[in-house]
Amino acid sequence: MFSNRLTKFATVAFAATLLAGSAGTAFADTPWQEDHPRREEVNNRLNNQDRRINQERREGEISRGQARQLHREDRHIRNEERRMAARDGGHITRADQRILNRQENHVSRQIGR
């Protein structure tokens, strides 16, 4: 009886330790992400849009040409983000981020129309 409780306790404690350890690393930012939160957000949106474009293309919602054009627009936004960051010591300003977000919104609305 005591052995059963001890085994259950050890199992629960081990599972909790694993869960806590994995949760801590799942949400940990890299130093670059911590130092460049605006760039991180812009780039995450671009990556998400890239996945959406590919998914819509696979599902036949958009043509190959439309997908190519949307990817081209995303590349333009990514290059503009890099140019903006180069101007400001590796960071983008709030105004820069607003401009990039508007451009991303425009592309996002075109995906899967």
Side-chain angles (χ1 to χ4, degrees):
M1 174 98 109
F2 179 73
S3 176
N4 253 353
R5 284 189 204 164
L6 186 58
T7 302
K8 285 181 184 177
F9 177 77
T11 303
V12 170
F14 180 70
T17 303
L18 284 177
L19 182 62
S22 65
T25 58
F27 298 110
D29 284 340
T30 66
W32 189 90
Q33 291 168 323
E34 290 176 1
D35 292 341
H36 303 88
R38 290 188 188 108
R39 290 187 73 187
E40 176 68 11
E41 180 186 315
V42 168
N43 287 323
N44 282 343
R45 284 195 66 193
L46 287 169
N47 291 336
N48 185 45
Q49 284 186 179
D50 184 58
R51 283 191 300 275
R52 288 178 52 215
I53 293 167
N54 291 335
Q55 179 180 355
E56 294 293 318
R57 175 66 185 116
R58 276 192 309 274
E59 294 174 355
E61 297 291 324
I62 59 176
S63 70
R64 182 177 173 190
Q66 289 170 315
R68 187 179 304 129
Q69 178 60 34
L70 292 170
H71 283 301
R72 187 177 300 125
E73 290 179 38
D74 271 354
R75 270 194 313 278
H76 173 77
I77 296 169
R78 189 176 303 275
N79 289 335
E80 187 169 1
E81 179 264 338
R82 289 175 180 157
R83 284 190 304 273
M84 289 174 168
R87 267 194 330 247
D88 294 313
H91 298 276
I92 61 172
T93 65
R94 283 185 182 165
D96 292 340
Q97 185 180 17
R98 273 194 294 275
I99 291 167
L100 295 168
N101 278 335
R102 271 191 231 117
Q103 293 174 1
E104 289 176 327
N105 291 341
H106 177 73
V107 174
S108 181
R109 284 189 293 272
Q110 296 178 64
I111 301 170
R113 276 199 274 173

